[in-house]
Structure formats: structure tokens, C-alpha cells
Amino acid sequence: MDNVSYLDYKGKHKGLLGWILSTDHKRIAVLYLVSLIAFFLVAMTFGFLMRLEMLTPGKTIIDPQTYNALFTLHGVIMIFLFIIPGIPAVFGNFFLPIMLGAKDVSFPRLNLLSWYFYIGGAALVLISLFTGGGPIDTGWTFYVPYSLRTQTNVSLAVFAAFVLGFSSILTGLNFIVTIHRTRCPGMGWFKMPLFAWGLYSTAWIQVLATPVIGITLLLIILERFFGVGIFDPALGGDPLLYQHLFWIYSHPAVYIMILPAMGLVSEIIPTFSKKDIFGYGPIAMSSLAIAFLGYLVWGHHMFSSGISDTSRAIFSFLTFIVAIPTGIKVFNWVATLYKASIDARAPFWFVVAFIIIFSIGGLTGLVLGSLNTDIHLTDTYFVVAHFHYVMFGGMGLLFFGGLHYWFPKMFGKMYNEKIAKLGTLIFVIGFNGLYFPMFIMGYLGMPRRYYDYLPQYQIYHVISTIGSWVLIIGILILVFNLLKALLSKSNTTTELNPWGGTTLEWTVPTPPPLENFDVIPTVTHGPYYRPNLIKPEKSH
Amino acid sequence: MKQTIVQHTDLTFLIIIGISFFFLAVITALMFYFMYKYSRKKNPVATDITGNTTIEILWTVIPTILVMVMFFYGYAGFKQIRNAPSDAMTVKVTGRMWVWNFEYENGVKSDTLFVPTGKPVKLELNSVDVNHSFYIPAFRIKEDAVPGRKNYLWFEPTEDGEYYVECAEYCGLSHSYMLSKVVSMPKDKYDAWYNAPRPKEGADTTKPKSDTLKTK
């Protein structure tokens, strides 16, 4: 077989069919990429409209019912269609097999099926907007009893989330088996790239936690149609049972969202530092620790719900513990830069921005893990700010970071780095303008999911709305810069290793051929090993 | 003088934010310093450092101790929030889409929460429809009103004044209009309002209240 790139490869089908029927992990990754970016831009537009509505007290542009539907859809689309599949579905699919020295994932057809579940779920979300009682207005958490009482199309929307869950489970299952079974000769567990460790930890959460939300969402539908009395207090059900079941999935799910991003940081830093990562073992193990401990802290979403005081104290304690492995990662990343040789190219800028923004998000999480302060701050804008700092500043920034890191390898095109850096800078300024005022108004008592607000909060809302405009300009610069590179014919690159990375994806042709490797490689060193560095002085 | 809930919560917040800000500053400063000091121009060849067990233990143990301190402050404040004094007066709070109703021990009903300054007040929270959350930002307290559950909350106003009550758990169309007020007033004024003759059960009691407020 000659080395035709996966982009040009002609299989049994041509044109669009050649893509949507392809079981090649790289083509599936690109299918995900296109769909994810489309949904991201839709949900971003909803966010933009919400911020515009918040510019003045009372009605600015839309009525309350529309506003409630907008924040619900913003959450549902961002969470279920962008952040959760996000990095695993795009970069995991594309690069995990290559980084392991494999020709594909273990179950290529299951992989394609998971994309169909994803698109099927997305289609159901769209259909739910125009059928039944119209767009869902429960918030992305679908709390009962409100979700049982509202006339909007809850049943179809939560069924969509149920279907999306299968996409997530299948991807997780595929990655677990791929990591166990397809590592190339010589690649022991501790010679795997850290991105693979991040995906591995994530995959176990996807497989073990997602079924819980699946069943819970089905129970909502059952309750709505047949009134079985599990959640509805009027029928003897327990609304708190729903919250427990929802967060048993949804708290681990925030680690589904962030662990792959952390894995990506662990790839980008050694590449641009031109040195091995500091603390490979602790970083790899902290991913597993986060995945494990993440199951034990769901109750911190319920500190004001009326659960017993003892359980609140236990959940608070465990929440503080889960901060430790996250801290360990950040410390090791920064320590990697010590005596490095740093070339701060465009992808590195995302990592620098990530470390600052994500740290702010993580540290403000401590305030929310603490019992008395959480009781004041839960369900206020402080939580909204915290959540966006960790999720958007974490997974969102690194989604763009990963895209800029692997773009030349994926498409054989190079983008304009100066414009990418400019876009990143505007992104970061806008991001802080948008979300930082939310910390302040949250502490001052501005509840979340409010269509209208008291006049004393307006100044913060105005700054935040202006921030949203700046942020969107930054995002559009990044997106158009990449689109321009993709569509232009002049800036083609076949360079194998533009950044000087050490992992296996930089050894295959650019763009990679159908089955990645002609000859399966053999690995003899750790993933970030470089010969010819200065030997460290022994301290004794 | 005993520390109030507000002081304790604000102190906990400052301690956690203070420690956090220190870490954020150190992380950010070191990162930029390394990027400057060890840029490719200045330091073309890196040193092959792959880890250090001592420092890994240090930055695991020290943050663990610090978060335990944070937990302790939060927990101590929380115990105060949850333990209503035994001499507290009880008011039943009912949330419904989208108003708060208050019922006093003598059966008086109101849509504004009138309380005597300096007296602990225990609120018994319930809801007749969906989840609500009773939130008084000025007092740093909040607890959900969940249908079918008896949740509670207490506070002790130390100064006369009016404080906003907001619903903090999303409850549908007019969630953001589900507001009320705590009006804290001197005991004699409160007693006059509390004991004022009322026309009949379930009548609107918001009018006599404003009259009594004016007369004294």
C-alpha cells in the first residue's frame, strides 16, 4: 500500500459517503470536529443572546420564557454536544491510536456507530425544539419536580441526552480496549503518552457513570408519562433522589470534561520546553486519582438541598481532597519549565492561558467546597463564574489549543501563527471580562438563572456583556484563521514534526496515511525522552 | 461578643481566597519567570530533569494540610449555620410559584418576613409545587424549599433594616421575580404588628403592617 493520506484516500465510497461511512479513526475524528464546532458556535450564539438580555434590568431583547429556554439549550448543547465528547471524540479518536503505535482503535465500526449516536442525539435535540411544548426550559440539570410539571418538551430532550450517553459509553469502551490491547511493542503502561493516561481515566468514568444518568433520564420520561411516583413528591416520590442520581453521574462527568484537557497540557508543555516532563508518574497517577475520587464528591452540589448535616460535612471533606491531585498536576507542569528550553509558539500560549485561568477556576472551587461559604454562594453567579473558568477556561481553551497543536499534522496546512496568538490574547481578555465580574456579583448575592435583576447588579452585568463581545471576537479570529489556512492552497506543509515533539504522531507522514504506520514502531524510551540534554547535577 | 454567621462566612472566604491568591501568584510568577529565563534563545539546551520525590511529597502534603484548615473553617461556620438557638421564634415559610408566604406561631400570615431585631428566628421551609431556595444574601444563608421535605434555616438580625430575600433555585417563568424582604425592627414595633387585630383568617396582612410601621 502506498502512503495516500487519509484525506485523499478513495475507498468503497466516494465524496461525502466516503466520510460518513468510513471507519477510519481519523475521518471519524474529523466528522466529530466539524459537528462539534458547529454546535459550539450555536451554543455560543445562545450565550451571546443571554448576555445581551442581561445588559439592562427588565426586558432588553427577549421575554422570560425565551431566556429560560436559551440558558437551558446553551447548557445542554455545550455540555452534551461539545464539552463531554470534545477532546476524546476529536483528538482522542485522531491521535490515540497513532500515539500508541496502532493502526486504528480496537473497534472501528463501534467508533463510527458512536458518531451516529452523537448525530442522532443532536437531531433529537433539534426536533425537540419544534415539537410538543417547544424548547425545554428546565436548565441543563433537569431538576424534578419542575421538569415533571413544565409543559415544554422535556421528554424528547432528555431522551436525546440518553442517546448521546451511548455515544459517550461506546467511545469510552473503545478507548479502554484500545489502550489495553493495541500499544506497540515496548510501550509499557508507563511509556504511554500522558494524553493516553488522561483518556484512559476519562474512559472509565464514561463507561461506569454514564449508565446512571441514562437510567435517571429514562425515569423522568417514565414519571412524566405514567406518574410512577419515584421522583414526584405528590405521588410519594423524592425530589432529592433525582439530585443524587443526577450528580452521581454529573460530577464525575466534569472530570470527563477536564481530564483529557489536562492530558493535552501534558503533551504540549514538553514539546515546546524541549525537555522531558517533570513528574510523569505523579501526573499519570493523579489522573486516576481524580477519576476515582470524582465519584465520591457529588453531594457538594447539594449542600443547600436539605441532605443531612453529617453527609454535607463528609462531602465537603472529600471535595477538598480531590483538589490535591489537580494541584499536583499544575505544580508538575510549572516545574517542567524549570531549566527547559522554551519556544512559546501559538499552541503554548493556550497552555499558559489555561494554567492561569484554570487555576483561578480550581481555586475558587475551594470556596464552593467549603460548607459555610458554599451555602452563601451556591446557585449564584459565583458558581456560574467558577464553572466557566474550569470548563471553558479548561476544556474550551485546550480544545482550541489542541486544534492549533495538531492542525498541521491533521490537515497538512499551517495557519498564521501571529493571528493565532492575537486571537488567543483577545480570547483571554474577553474571557476574564465576561466571567470575572460574575464572581463579584455572585458574592453580592446575584442568583443564577435570573431573567431580571435588582439594579445594584447592573454595572457587573454591563462589564460582563461587553466581555462577551470581546471573547467572541477572539474566538472568531481563531476560527477564521484556521478556516483560511484550511481553504488556501499555498500554505501546504508535509513537515513531519513542525514543533519538535517526541511522541509517535510526529513520526508518521503529514497528513497521516490510512493505517498510520507502514511498519508498527517499537518503543524503547519514555514518551518525552530526548537524548543530548544537559545531565542534571547530582545533589549529593 | 460571639462571631456572627456573616463574619464567620466572610472570614472563611477571605482565608480561602487569600491562600488561593498566594498560590495563583506563585504559579503565575514562576511560569513567566521560567519562560523568560529559560527561553530557547537564552537556554538552547534543556537540562534533563524528570522529577524529584522530595518536592512531590512536599507539594502533596502542604496543600493537604492547607485544605484541611479550609475545611475546618468552613465546617465550624456551617455548624453555627445549622444550630438554631433553642429560644428562636419559629416562622413557617412556604414557597410557591412565584411567591414566599410566611406564617407565624399565632397564625398571622404575611408575604414579608417581619422580625424583631436581636431575636433568633428559625424558618421551617416547605414548598407546595417545585423546588425553591430561600436565600438572604445579606445574612449569607440559604436552604432549599423542597416539596415533601421539612428543611430549616435560622438567622439573627443584629440591626434594624430591610434585607432582600431571593429564590435561588430555578423554578420557572417568574423565578427572578420570586423576591421578598426581611424587615427587622425594634421589638416593640414588632410586637405591635404581631398582636394587631386582624379582620379575619387569610386576609391580606400587608396593609396593617405598613400602618404600624408609620405610627411608631
Side-chain angles (χ1 to χ4, degrees), chain A residues 137 304 332 376 378 443 445 450, chain B residues 10 56 142 144 166-167 170:
Chain A
D137 68 339
S304 71
N332 278 293
H376 173 42
T378 186
Y443 205 84
Y450 261 33
Chain B
D10 287 351
E56 295 286 352
K142 177 188 294 126
D144 292 1
E166 301 171 321
C167 177
Y170 173 70

Side-chain angles (χ1 to χ4, degrees), chain A residues 144-351:
Chain A
V144 298
Y146 186 75
S147 61
L148 303 176
R149 287 174 162 250
T150 176
Q151 299 299 308
T152 57
N153 205 350
V154 172
S155 301
L156 192 57
V158 299
F159 185 67
F162 174 78
V163 171
L164 289 168
F166 275 97
S167 168
S168 190
I169 293 171
L170 292 183
T171 302
L173 187 68
N174 220 333
F175 284 3
I176 291 173
V177 179
T178 303
I179 290 170
H180 273 270
R181 305 297 301 166
T182 69
R183 281 172 289 131
C184 64
M187 189 179 282
W189 281 92
F190 290 91
K191 289 201 172 85
M192 276 201 314
L194 285 162
F195 184 56
W197 274 109
L199 291 174
Y200 184 70
S201 313
T202 305
W204 276 111
I205 310 177
Q206 287 176 303
V207 170
L208 293 178
T210 315
V212 180
I213 188 88
I215 297 294
T216 310
L217 295 175
L218 285 189
L219 286 174
I220 288 188
I221 298 173
L222 215 60
E223 189 85 322
R224 275 181 74 91
F225 282 118
F226 303 109
V228 289
I230 290 177
F231 299 138
D232 191 348
L235 302 168
D238 184 358
L240 289 199
L241 176 65
Y242 173 80
Q243 296 184 21
H244 279 294
L245 291 172
F246 180 82
W247 290 114
I248 283 173
Y249 165 75
S250 294
H251 193 79
V254 305
Y255 299 112
I256 294 181
M257 305 172 197
I258 199 64
L259 281 168
M262 291 168 155
L264 238 163
V265 173
S266 306
E267 294 301 320
I268 295 176
I269 288 185
T271 295
F272 294 95
S273 303
K274 217 171 157 187
K275 91 179 251 302
D276 207 328
I277 196 140
F278 189 97
Y280 176 97
I283 292 181
M285 287 305 105
S286 62
S287 290
L288 289 183
I290 290 171
F292 175 73
L293 288 168
Y295 279 99
L296 309 176
V297 299
W298 79 85
H300 68 217
H301 296 272
M302 302 167 66
F303 281 165
S304 71
S305 68
I307 58 172
S308 82
D309 293 353
T310 312
S311 60
R312 293 189 220 194
I314 293 168
F315 278 123
S316 170
F317 183 83
L318 291 168
T319 301
F320 277 111
I321 297 293
V322 83
I324 302 299
T326 308
I328 290 173
K329 278 183 192 288
V330 175
F331 299 142
N332 278 293
W333 290 329
V334 175
T336 302
L337 304 179
Y338 175 66
K339 294 201 173 174
S341 173
I342 301 163
D343 189 11
R345 306 286 291 273
F348 194 78
W349 280 44
F350 288 95
V351 168

Side-chain angles (χ1 to χ4, degrees), chain A residues 316-317 319-325 327-328 331 366, chain B residues 15-16 19-20 23 56-74:
Chain A
S316 170
F317 183 83
T319 301
F320 277 111
I321 297 293
V322 83
I324 302 299
I328 290 173
F331 299 142
L366 296 171
Chain B
I15 288 171
I16 298 177
I19 295 173
S20 299
F23 274 91
E56 295 286 352
I57 292 170
L58 275 180
W59 67 39
T60 306
V61 172
I62 294 173
T64 306
I65 295 167
L66 286 173
V67 298
M68 288 304 99
V69 171
M70 296 177 190
F71 166 77
F72 169 77
Y73 270 94

